[in-house]
């Protein structure tokens, strides 16, 4: 008989076949069926492959930080292009400030499946101490990467940085896909040229941003002048090669550029999305019904439940 003493790391069946559940050391105990007093144990190291079939699984804040550190210091490109899956909701209130995934040197080029989970109380900088980084967001710099099914609820302090590019999901995206995600909070950038967006700050090349919800309170870009300030409800699309499809944003969101001037976005659906009302849920779920997967990642449907998330959409179970 086989028994896993660490079921959170691996399980074992009656034939002794081990199935990895999480990264770590699995302890398996073998018990003689004829002589139960005869036992033995062995240790097995469980590692993920980082593929669509065997993604790296993120269970804790420490797991997420470890993944971020691997990617941001990944000069050899071993971890930047892997597949990751978030397995539980995470509360980031213990982290004074979030260092984004992907930077100027090591960009995120893989796949991050949020798995319908929510990361709450995440923040970058404070009102009194803005973070001095180039790219601000949960992801800083994405190149030909994919982000799906991810919910981000920034804390009261939100994204406050002296960066050029700030976004609820990603600061800078050059190639790739952002699908079925949402972000909340206040997004702000402050540099000579500033780009801020509820979903992404700056988008270039072949990028697809679709079926995302910007639920931010405000988006502000404090460039050196109004001509160098580019706040958008969804994202700033710099290239005609990029596409935006069925993105929605809070009607009450405040969008301001240099000197607090309110931006008129009524005629630019690509950058600013549609106004979020109850009906868009049907449009979002219609897409998911027809496209159940994206690059091997299962897309999740949305729902509106009274009293939950301020009556804004959440992922259905």
């Amino acid at each position: 008989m086989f028994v896993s003493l660490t079921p959170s790391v691996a399980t074992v069946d009656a034939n002794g076949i081990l199935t990895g559940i999480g990264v770590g050391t699995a302890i398996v105990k073998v018990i003689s069926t004829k002589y139960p007093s005869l036992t033995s144990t062995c240790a097995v190291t469980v590692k993920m492959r980082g593929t669509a079939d065997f993604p790296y699984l993120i269970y804790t804040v420490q797991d997420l930080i470890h993944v971020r550190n691997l990617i941001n210091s990944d000069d050899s490109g071993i971890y930047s292009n892997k597949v990751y899956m978030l397995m539980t909701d995470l509360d980031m209130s213990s982290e004074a400030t979030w260092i984004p995934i992907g930077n100027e040197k090591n960009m995120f080029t893989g796949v991050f499946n949020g798995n319908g989970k929510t990361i709450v109380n995440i923040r970058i900088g404070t009102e009194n101490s803005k973070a001095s980084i180039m790219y601000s967001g949960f992801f800083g710099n994405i190149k030909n990467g994919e982000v799906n099914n991810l919910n981000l609820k920034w804390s009261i302090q939100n994204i406050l940085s002296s960066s050029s590019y700030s976004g609820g999901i990603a600061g800078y995206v050059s190639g790739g896909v952002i699908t079925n995600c949402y972000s909340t909070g206040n997004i702000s950038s402050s540099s000579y040229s500033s780009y801020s967006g509820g979903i992404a700050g700056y988008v270039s090349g072949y990028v697809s941003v679709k079926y995302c919800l910007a639920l931010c309170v405000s988006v502000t870009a404090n460039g050196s002048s109004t001509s160098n300030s580019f706040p958008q409800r969804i994202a700033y699309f710099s290239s005609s090669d990029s596409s935006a499809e069925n993105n929605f944003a809070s009607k009450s969101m405040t969008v301001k550029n240099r000197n607090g001037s309110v931006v008129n976005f009524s005629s630019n659906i690509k950058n600013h999305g549609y106004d979020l009302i109850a009906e868009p849920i049907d449009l979002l779920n219609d897409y998911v019904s027809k496209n159940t997967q994206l690059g091997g990642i299962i897309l999740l449907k949305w729902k509106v439940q009274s009293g939950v998330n301020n009556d804004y959409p959440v992922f259905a179970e």
Side-chain angles (χ1 to χ4, degrees):
M1 182 173 64
F2 302 91
V3 178
S4 173
L5 301 182
T6 50
S8 62
V9 178
T11 59
V12 62
D13 65 15
N15 297 314
I17 298 176
L18 201 71
T19 300
I21 303 299
V23 175
T25 300
I27 306 298
V28 177
K29 186 175 184 178
V30 183
I31 304 172
S32 171
T33 55
K34 188 173 182 179
Y35 303 103
S37 61
L38 297 178
T39 65
S40 181
T41 59
C42 66
V44 179
T45 300
V46 179
K47 296 182 179 181
M48 305 300 175
R49 297 179 184 174
T51 63
D53 292 332
F54 301 97
Y56 288 118
L57 305 181
I58 299 170
Y59 285 93
T60 66
V61 172
Q62 289 69 34
D63 288 344
L64 180 61
I65 292 172
H66 180 61
V67 164
R68 187 270 317 280
N69 291 343
L70 287 175
I71 293 170
N72 286 1
S73 61
D74 189 16
D75 295 340
S76 59
I78 296 175
Y79 297 100
S80 299
N81 65 347
K82 300 300 183 182
V83 179
Y84 300 89
M85 180 182 290
L86 185 61
M87 301 303 293
T88 60
D89 296 335
L90 297 181
D91 187 340
M92 304 295 291
S93 57
S94 62
E95 296 301 304
T97 188
W98 172 247
I99 299 173
I101 300 173
N103 50 40
E104 295 177 68
K105 185 177 181 181
N106 297 310
M107 296 158 281
F108 180 71
T109 60
V111 176
F112 191 97
N113 180 7
N115 199 25
K117 307 304 180 184
T118 303
I119 299 176
V120 301
N121 294 322
I122 184 171
R123 57 188 178 271
I124 296 178
T126 67
E127 286 285 2
N128 298 323
S129 179
K130 297 185 185 300
S132 180
I133 52 179
M134 178 66 73
Y135 307 103
S136 294
F138 180 70
F139 291 90
N141 196 352
I142 296 176
K143 183 175 183 180
N144 299 323
E146 297 183 13
V147 183
N148 308 298
N149 297 330
L150 178 62
N151 300 333
L152 286 178
K153 292 186 177 180
W154 294 88
S155 75
I156 294 174
Q157 294 171 325
N158 309 298
I159 299 181
L160 299 163
S161 69
S162 56
S163 71
S164 294
Y165 312 100
S166 294
I169 301 296
Y172 192 101
V173 185
S174 55
V177 178
I178 300 178
T179 303
N180 221 29
C181 298
Y182 81 64
S183 70
T184 69
N186 298 310
I187 313 298
S188 174
S189 63
S190 178
S191 185
Y192 178 80
S193 292
S194 296
Y195 300 84
S196 297
I199 300 299
Y202 188 93
V203 173
S204 67
Y206 292 94
V207 178
S208 176
V209 179
K210 53 188 177 182
Y211 295 85
C212 289
L213 307 176
L215 310 179
C216 305
V217 175
S218 68
V219 174
T220 305
N222 291 311
S224 61
S225 66
T226 54
S227 60
N228 287 331
S229 304
F230 305 94
Q232 322 287 334
R233 294 203 304 180
I234 301 298
Y236 179 87
F237 291 87
S238 66
S239 170
S240 60
D241 294 329
S242 298
S243 64
E245 181 180 353
N246 276 19
N247 297 307
F248 297 88
S250 300
K251 295 173 64 175
S252 60
M253 185 191 303
T254 301
V255 183
K256 295 183 178 181
N257 60 21
R258 184 70 178 178
N259 299 324
S261 302
V262 177
V263 175
N264 180 7
F265 52 80
S266 59
S267 62
N268 194 325
I269 299 301
K270 184 174 182 179
N271 287 355
H272 294 282
Y274 298 96
D275 285 340
L276 180 63
I277 53 179
E279 289 77 4
I281 296 301
D282 297 330
L283 295 174
L284 293 167
N285 287 337
D286 180 62
Y287 173 83
V288 174
S289 296
K290 296 175 181 176
N291 303 269
T292 57
Q293 293 190 11
L294 180 68
I297 302 299
I298 297 175
L299 297 179
L300 305 175
K301 288 191 175 183
W302 300 83
K303 67 179 179 180
V304 173
Q305 184 174 338
S306 179
V308 175
N309 196 30
N310 296 320
D311 294 334
Y312 285 127
V314 294
F315 283 123
E317 297 295 334

